[in-house]
């Protein structure tokens, strides 16, 4: 209401998407345990969608799936895919609204971004969210020497194109 209807000296921006949270699986991301976050998301998403049915509601800014194919990843990355699966299961069981699912991807190649995009899509489908869009909200192709690496922009563009085509 504040951003779309001017409530409390707000705005009339006509926002079409509302993302709930960002990186809750990190220690600094959400104060509380995962069940509290899952519950907060389920309640908030259902109420937002009921009040503003045209707005796409989603989240949660997942850390992503790097831990699935990089065994040297930090512990948070290793646990992120399981966290996402538990989140999706909880939302399905408790009426959470998920018009879109957002996630980050730090990869070593455009092909790796495609691998993660396909994993996200299959995970959403498997959890019963076949209509939910999969949004990469932050991505990067790691370059050893970015200042001297002239193919970096091309790799980023290729990543976007191939991820888009992967579903």
């Amino acid at each position: 209401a504040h951003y779309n209807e001017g409530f409390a000296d707000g705005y009339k921006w006509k926002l079409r998407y509302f993302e709930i949270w960002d990186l809750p699986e990190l220690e600094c991301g959400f104060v509380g345990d995962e069940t509290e976050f899952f519950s907060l998301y389920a309640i908030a998403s259902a109420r937002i969608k009921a009040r503003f049915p045209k707005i796409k509601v989603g989240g949660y800014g997942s850390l992503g799936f790097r831990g699935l194919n990089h065994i040297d990843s930090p512990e948070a990355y290793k646990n992120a895919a399981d966290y996402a699966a538990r989140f999706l299961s909880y939302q399905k069981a408790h009426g959470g609204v998920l018009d879109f699912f957002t996630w980050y991807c730090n990869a070593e190649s455009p092909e790796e971004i495609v691998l993660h995009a396909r994993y996200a899509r299959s995970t959403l489908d498997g959890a019963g969210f076949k209509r939910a869009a999969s949004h990469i909200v932050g991505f990067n192709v790691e370059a050893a020497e970015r200042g001297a690496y002239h193919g970096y922009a091309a790799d980023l563009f290729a990543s976007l194109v191939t991820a888009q085509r992967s579903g």
Side-chain angles (χ1 to χ4, degrees), residues 135-147:
H135 291 184
I136 303 173
V137 292
F139 69 97
N140 202 354
V141 176
E142 300 294 333
E145 296 179 41
R146 290 213 174 109

Side-chain angles (χ1 to χ4, degrees), residues 14-70:
K14 299 180 183 172
L15 297 178
R16 299 179 332 183
Y17 288 82
F18 189 92
E19 181 178 35
I20 300 172
W21 226 264
D22 189 47
L23 301 171
E25 66 268 68
L26 295 177
E27 283 185 26
C28 61
F30 182 78
V31 178
D33 65 29
E34 73 178 41
T35 304
E36 291 172 316
F37 170 68
F38 295 172
S39 176
L40 168 82
Y41 182 95
I43 293 167
S45 66
R47 289 188 180 170
I48 292 167
K49 192 65 165 184
R51 174 69 172 79
F52 303 99
K54 292 182 181 178
I55 291 179
K56 302 287 186 191
V57 180
Y60 56 86
S62 168
L63 190 55
F65 312 110
R66 184 175 173 86
L68 294 173
N69 63 315
H70 289 274

Side-chain angles (χ1 to χ4, degrees), residues 107-123:
E108 294 179 4
S109 69
E111 294 79 17
E112 187 176 353
I113 291 178
V114 170
L115 176 73
H116 292 196
R118 287 181 177 153
Y119 180 83
R121 179 76 269 149
S122 68
T123 300

